[in-house]
Amino acid sequence: MEEPKNIVFQCELKARPFSALSTKELNLVHKALGARNRSHAPYSKFQVGAALLLSNGHIVLGANQENAAYPSGLCAERVALFSAGVQYPKEKVEAIAVCVMEGAKQLPLPCGGCLQVMSEYEYQQKSAIKVYLIEEDKELVYLTESTRDLLPFSFNESHLPN
Ligand code: THU
């Protein structure tokens, strides 16, 4: 019998100063920063902004929307993704940029639920979504080529019984 092999996962987030981004990328970053102002976060006071770039060049915005009934709220990334899914069902999502509230000391890492939703879009559209995590204070982004870098073992349609 073959020796069982470990499964190893490595992830590299590429640091890119704003100055090294293309006009298109920088525009997406600024849209995400602007979307943050549309956040409704009176409970956590943690504003999150997201912007998606679609294959037709459109940009779709998202911001977290909280609710007095806490679990009814939704993260910025999913607000943007579900909105794009409804408004532009035939377009691919090429990239997503995400930022969190000004002065935050941590990277704006999407939560597991948002990564799962991103990975569903990737799986369905059969192409990767680039992720730009914005560190506003340092004027840089951390870039990954696919949501798989952040959620390598995602659950998808292929895991469901026929
Ligand atoms: N939040 C997002 O919008 N995106 C994430 O990926 C993580 C968390 C929001 C949800 C909630 O409104 C606030 O941040 C605090 O958790």
Side-chain angles (χ1 to χ4, degrees):
M1 241 203 343
E2 226 182 277
E3 190 66 19
K5 290 195 187 90
N6 294 340
I7 298 173
V8 179
F9 161 57
Q10 274 192 322
C11 164
E12 188 181 7
L13 301 177
K14 293 180 210 146
R16 295 274 182 277
F18 283 6
S19 58
L21 298 177
S22 68
T23 313
K24 211 168 150 184
E25 291 174 314
L26 195 58
N27 182 44
L28 190 68
V29 164
H30 284 301
K31 294 284 186 206
L33 291 169
R36 190 178 54 192
N37 299 328
R38 315 238 177 114
S39 157
H40 175 67
Y43 308 106
S44 73
K45 315 247 186 295
F46 189 75
Q47 291 87 13
V48 185
L52 305 181
L53 176 64
L54 304 185
S55 45
N56 63 0
H58 277 78
I59 288 180
V60 176
L61 305 181
N64 53 331
Q65 302 296 310
E66 296 183 352
N67 194 282
Y70 292 178
S72 303
L74 197 61
C75 292
E77 298 92 320
R78 272 178 281 175
V79 168
L81 286 160
F82 292 152
S83 172
V86 172
Q87 295 186 75
Y88 304 100
K90 298 214 167 76
E91 300 303 323
K92 291 185 176 186
V93 179
E94 291 185 350
I96 180 167
V98 186
C99 67
V100 291
M101 59 186 290
E102 279 180 271
K105 294 281 164 266
Q106 301 256 11
L107 261 187
L109 284 171
C111 75
C114 288
L115 289 174
Q116 178 63 34
V117 171
M118 286 181 211
S119 100
E120 171 86 10
Y121 277 73
E122 272 194 346
Y123 186 80
Q124 296 298 339
Q125 70 184 25
K126 299 184 182 62
S127 62
I129 300 174
K130 286 187 179 171
V131 185
Y132 295 83
L133 305 171
I134 306 167
E135 220 167 52
E136 192 183 9
D137 291 1
K138 295 185 187 151
E139 296 206 353
L140 59 84
V141 298
Y142 286 94
L143 167 64
T144 71
E145 295 299 323
S146 164
T147 64
R148 290 182 70 121
D149 295 328
L150 300 169
L151 189 69
F153 306 115
S154 66
F155 183 82
N156 63 44
E157 200 184 314
S158 72
H159 298 103
L160 294 170
N162 291 328

